[in-house]
């Protein structure tokens, strides 16, 4: 045994083996925390069932509405023939669809709706106002308005379209909706004339008369198409105004008759 071995045995003893240094104790990993539930999953079972039912009801309503609109704009078919009334009841009047914007041959005319009134003055006399161009009034209200109202854009236009669709060329109603379209126009006239104070101080609007002024849109300069630039008028009969005006006065319910009133030209007051 050399000196190195002797020195090593002297340090550890004759029967003792060298011992390794004790290793550090590593604690076990902590269990992962449960993930926090959000949204519907965070609700109790009762509220989860309620939310699921609400989503199902909304989904069914959306599907029914889309289906009704599709059947309304689709060509006549077996379903629309059997359930046409139910489809119309769902669509009109809030969801009516007008596809003229996408027609291959759009409207090439300008239609202006005008109205005048026969009024009873405060001194007991009667008079007739000039024509008020209601379409021009709406146009001025929309021009330069970034957010024009639905009423300014569509109320008068849709009311006139409704009248034309439910009356023949002699202005006679076709079907039950004709009387409704006339009432709609009368109320629009009464509101607009009252706004313009057409009857004057102490006066009352007794009858109103509508007319439309239709002119063709001129073709572009490069086109060889020729169209007439003369306006065409459609004059309706005089209608009595028998409902309470916005100012509180009740108009006289005079007979409508076949009187078409004084001439068809004039200037608004």
């Amino acid at each position: 045994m050399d000196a190195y071995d002797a020195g090593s045995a002297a340090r550890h003893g004759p029967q003792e083996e060298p011992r390794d240094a004790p290793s550090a104790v590593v604690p076990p990993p902590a269990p992962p925390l449960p993930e926090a539930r959000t949204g519907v999953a965070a609700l109790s079972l009762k509220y989860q069932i309620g939310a699921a039912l609400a989503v199902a009801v909304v989904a069914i309503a959306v599907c029914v509405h889309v289906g009704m609109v599709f059947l309304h704009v689709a060509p006549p078919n077996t379903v629309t023939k059997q359930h046409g009334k139910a489809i119309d009841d769902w669509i009109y009047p809030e969801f009516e669809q007008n596809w003229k914007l996408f027609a291959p041959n759009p409207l090439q005319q300008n239609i202006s709706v005008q109205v005048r009134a026969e009024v009873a003055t405060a001194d007991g006399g009667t008079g007739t106002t000039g024509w008020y161009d209601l379409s021009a009034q709406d146009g001025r209200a929309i021009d330069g308005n970034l957010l024009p109202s639905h009423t300014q854009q569509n109320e008068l236009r849709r009311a006139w379209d409704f009248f034309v669709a439910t009356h023949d060329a002699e202005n006679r109603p076709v079907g039950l909706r004709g009387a409704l379209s006339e009432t709609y126009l009368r109320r629009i006239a009464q509101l607009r004339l009252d706004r313009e104070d057409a009857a004057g101080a102490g006066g009352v609007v007794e009858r109103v008369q509508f007319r439309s002024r239709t002119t063709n849109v001129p073709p572009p300069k490069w086109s060889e198409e020729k169209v007439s630039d003369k306006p065409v008028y459609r004059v309706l009969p005089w209608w009595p105004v028998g409902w309470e005006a916005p100012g509180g006065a009740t108009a006289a319910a005079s007979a409508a008759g076949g009187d078409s009133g004084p001439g068809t030209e004039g200037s608004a007051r």
Side-chain angles (χ1 to χ4, degrees):
M1 181 181 296
D2 54 20
Y4 177 80
D5 294 336
S8 175
R11 287 195 301 269
H12 296 287
Q15 303 296 329
E16 186 177 345
E17 296 293 333
R19 292 177 299 176
D20 296 333
S23 59
V25 178
V26 179
L33 297 175
E35 296 182 1
R37 295 187 299 177
T38 59
V40 178
L43 302 175
S44 64
L45 179 60
K46 178 175 65 174
Y47 290 104
Q48 287 182 4
I49 295 175
L53 291 175
V55 171
V57 169
V58 172
I60 293 173
V62 170
C63 292
V64 171
H65 178 70
V66 172
M68 289 293 190
V69 173
F70 173 78
L71 292 173
H72 176 67
V73 300
N77 53 70
T78 304
V79 178
T80 56
K81 290 178 181 178
Q82 293 182 352
H83 306 285
K85 186 178 185 305
I87 296 172
D88 289 343
D89 291 342
W90 181 279
I91 294 295
Y92 293 106
E94 291 85 0
F95 307 118
E96 182 180 1
Q97 302 295 312
N98 185 357
W99 294 90
K100 289 183 180 180
L101 178 63
F102 305 101
N105 186 23
L107 189 66
Q108 298 181 2
Q109 295 174 324
N110 288 323
I111 301 175
S112 178
V113 180
Q114 304 170 354
V115 68
R116 65 177 176 176
E118 185 179 276
V119 300
T121 59
D123 57 4
T126 59
T128 303
T129 69
W131 290 102
Y132 290 86
D133 195 331
L134 305 184
S135 298
Q137 293 176 1
D138 288 348
R140 288 191 294 268
I142 294 172
D143 189 22
N145 188 348
L146 296 179
L147 297 173
S149 69
H150 179 74
T151 300
Q152 292 170 334
Q153 298 179 82
N154 298 318
E155 180 188 57
L156 179 65
R157 179 181 63 84
R158 297 297 295 128
W160 185 256
D161 288 346
F162 185 23
F163 175 85
V164 172
T166 55
H167 287 71
D168 59 18
E170 301 298 327
N171 300 319
R172 293 173 299 194
V174 179
L176 299 178
R177 292 167 62 85
L180 178 62
S181 68
E182 293 181 6
T183 302
Y184 192 19
L185 278 177
R186 292 189 206 194
R187 291 182 178 272
I188 291 177
Q190 185 69 11
L191 290 170
R192 300 290 186 94
L193 292 172
D194 182 77
R195 187 186 307 166
E196 297 291 333
D197 194 22
V204 176
V205 174
E206 292 187 329
R207 298 196 300 173
V208 296
Q209 184 182 34
F210 276 91
R211 76 173 181 182
S212 66
R213 183 179 186 271
T214 303
T215 55
N216 293 317
V217 176
K221 295 181 180 180
W222 49 262
S223 175
E224 298 181 355
E225 183 182 2
K226 302 296 182 181
V227 297
S228 174
D229 58 354
K230 294 182 180 180
V232 176
Y233 291 92
R234 177 174 180 171
V235 183
L236 307 188
W238 285 91
W239 291 336
V241 178
W243 60 286
E244 189 173 350
T250 302
S254 57
D259 182 16
S260 61
T264 58
E265 295 294 333
S267 58
R269 294 172 47 149

